[in-house]
Amino acid sequence: MESVVGKHYKDKSPILIEFMDGYIQKISPFSGKATSGILGPGFVDLQVNGFNGFDFNEEGLSPAKVVKLTKDLWKEGVTTYFPTLITNDKEKIHTSIKCIVKACEDSLIEDSIGGIHLEGPFLSKKDGPRGAHPKNYIQAPNWELFCQWQDTAQGRIKLITISPEWSESSKFIEKCVASGVKVAIGHTAATGEQITEAVKAGASMSTHLGNATHLSLPRHSNYIWDQLANERLWCSLIADGFHLPESILKVFLKVKKGQSLLVSDSTKFAGLPPGVYNSHIGGEIELTKGGRLQMRNAPKMLAGSAKTLRWCIEHLVRNELTSLENSLEMCTLKPAEVMELGTLGFERNKKADLILFEYSNGNLKILKTIKSGKVVYEDQQLDN
């Protein structure tokens, strides 16, 4: 039996968590000398395009890079994540999937990858909603093609983002849901009727709501309002301070109270120092000292996200948009709930996926990350 001591993330009371064979056996009050750290569940990120120099969508991806990326995410408190594959040539998607599957031969890596998130190619072709996805690979939902990718993934595709504006969408969504794949609406210019039909077919979430849109929309009837108003849709949000203004985040969090979760949507530039880089989809980009990732020649345009869930929590709490407890749960328990990851939680008989962290002066610092009962990261300055 192994254990960890800290303050409960909800009420800050000292607790002892005991775990064995990768699962929590007991959470109990602790009366001895405890660390000042706070204990909570490990982060769950449903949208990771890349991190710290590695990208799931670039040529040259290897199983070793997937392993390294996973270990780097552990340092950020991420114990479960979904490698996200965007619109691309179908064979390149096959190649990326193969690398991820090969990396999963390591049991701890496999345990860290909750599933593959396929973001495309069944999206809107329209400028704005399409975002940075290459238009020449965008296409209508194709069940046969999806099944080919799923076969390569050995069933690991667990989440797909599509636009329901295609006539084939409803039947495709029904087949996905019947096969155990969650469907999210995103990169869309769909009408209200099309969104309603998608939800009836089984779509359950909006991907990074408020982003990948037209610059101007009808003030009353548009696909953002339609998704917000649908009570059966959860929404994922990029709360990095750049993708959505605080006022919009505040409204979204109020309307989707209890149905909101955070995603990083991180690119390979997250974790890298400020500077000018070259992106395979955006050309020359700049990562500013403030953390904004933008087109170098058009700085008003974002070039993706360069921040992690830890930063998103800091942003929400610092701007008093929600509490530390709620923001933490939007990175942990909420994504586990929407994806029906029943083994994850912060209670007995759930996986021992835990983080010990400090929160001070608006900064969240990871002190220790435990994945399936194994310490996979520990801050060198942590006083044991």
Side-chain angles (χ1 to χ4, degrees):
M1 188 86 72
E2 296 181 79
S3 63
V4 62
V5 172
K7 298 176 182 177
H8 197 294
Y9 76 93
K10 286 187 175 181
D11 60 14
K12 308 304 183 293
S13 61
I15 56 171
L16 169 71
I17 300 181
E18 298 173 275
F19 47 91
M20 184 173 62
D21 298 328
Y23 285 82
I24 296 172
Q25 302 298 314
K26 188 177 182 180
I27 301 179
S28 55
F30 184 72
S31 58
K33 183 180 179 181
T35 175
S36 61
I38 301 170
L39 271 172
F43 297 151
V44 180
D45 196 339
L46 302 186
Q47 200 162 0
V48 177
N49 305 284
F51 182 66
N52 205 24
F54 300 125
D55 192 308
F56 290 113
N57 299 280
E58 278 189 343
E59 291 186 14
L61 181 70
S62 67
K65 290 180 179 179
V66 176
V67 171
K68 177 65 166 58
L69 188 154
T70 305
K71 292 181 177 180
D72 286 344
L73 286 175
W74 288 340
K75 298 175 184 178
E76 289 287 326
V78 178
T79 52
T80 301
Y81 76 101
F82 284 59
T84 301
L85 304 181
I86 67 168
T87 303
N88 208 335
D89 173 80
K90 70 176 184 178
E91 292 305 323
K92 290 182 179 178
I93 292 177
H94 274 295
T95 299
S96 293
I97 292 173
K98 289 175 184 177
C99 287
I100 295 168
V101 170
K102 184 69 175 177
C104 286
E105 291 180 0
D106 182 316
S107 60
L108 205 54
I109 300 300
E110 180 176 29
D111 209 20
S112 299
I113 294 177
I116 294 172
H117 179 176
L118 191 61
E119 188 187 3
F122 315 131
L123 308 176
S124 177
K125 280 193 170 185
K126 297 178 180 178
D127 292 343
R130 180 170 49 84
H133 290 247
K135 188 174 183 178
N136 54 319
Y137 294 126
I138 297 285
Q139 60 179 288
N142 183 326
W143 180 248
E144 182 180 351
L145 178 58
F146 173 78
C147 287
Q148 291 172 11
W149 286 326
Q150 186 68 294
D151 286 344
T152 300
Q154 299 176 13
R156 286 183 172 86
I157 299 175
K158 299 295 185 182
L159 174 63
I160 182 169
T161 294
I162 75 164
S163 171
E165 64 198 72
W166 300 93
S167 60
E168 301 90 342
S169 296
S170 290
K171 288 184 179 180
F172 180 85
I173 293 170
E174 289 174 355
K175 289 180 179 179
C176 283
V177 173
S179 71
V181 177
K182 297 287 184 181
V183 178
I185 297 170
H187 289 275
T188 186
T191 65
E193 292 77 13
Q194 290 169 331
I195 289 169
T196 298
E197 287 302 311
V199 174
K200 287 181 179 178
S204 55
M205 187 171 72
S206 300
T207 289
H208 51 51
L209 188 62
N211 293 116
T213 67
H214 292 98
L215 291 179
S216 298
L217 287 170
R219 61 180 176 173
H220 290 149
S221 179
N222 64 63
Y223 45 78
I224 295 178
W225 285 116
D226 292 331
Q227 290 176 82
L228 271 178
N230 196 303
E231 296 180 358
R232 292 166 62 183
L233 281 177
W234 287 64
C235 74
S236 70
L237 302 170
I238 309 172
D240 61 358
F242 308 112
H243 280 77
L244 294 171
E246 284 70 41
S247 58
I248 296 296
L249 282 169
K250 187 173 184 178
V251 171
F252 284 4
L253 290 174
K254 283 184 177 293
V255 174
K256 291 293 184 180
K257 185 177 182 181
Q259 290 182 297
S260 299
L261 59 100
L262 302 181
V263 293
S264 69
D265 200 16
S266 64
T267 63
K268 74 177 203 177
F269 305 104
L272 297 183
V276 176
Y277 298 93
N278 189 69
S279 169
H280 67 291
I281 60 173
E284 269 203 346
I285 61 172
E286 181 181 10
L287 178 57
T288 70
K289 291 182 179 180
R292 178 184 168 91
L293 189 64
Q294 60 194 30
M295 304 297 294
R296 192 183 187 195
N297 296 323
K300 290 185 178 181
M301 293 184 63
L302 290 171
S305 171
K307 292 301 178 182
T308 64
L309 291 178
R310 181 174 58 83
W311 172 282
C312 293
I313 290 175
E314 293 173 345
H315 179 71
L316 289 181
V317 179
R318 190 183 299 123
N319 287 279
E320 300 181 345
L321 298 174
T322 190
S323 66
L324 178 61
E325 174 189 334
N326 287 339
S327 59
L328 183 69
E329 291 189 348
M330 283 194 288
C331 294
T332 56
L333 304 185
K334 292 301 181 181
E337 181 181 346
V338 75
M339 292 303 299
E340 298 185 75
L341 304 176
T343 59
L344 300 186
F346 198 66
E347 56 188 279
R348 186 174 179 272
N349 294 330
K350 300 297 185 182
K351 278 187 181 178
D353 287 3
L354 309 166
I355 54 171
L356 182 70
F357 65 94
E358 289 180 342
Y359 184 79
S360 177
N361 299 321
N363 297 310
L364 192 156
K365 180 180 181 181
I366 303 295
L367 302 177
K368 181 183 291 188
T369 303
I370 299 171
K371 174 64 193 177
S372 298
K374 296 181 180 179
V375 177
V376 292
Y377 169 72
E378 189 166 11
D379 184 83
Q380 294 180 352
Q381 298 180 348
L382 180 60
D383 181 12
N384 293 316

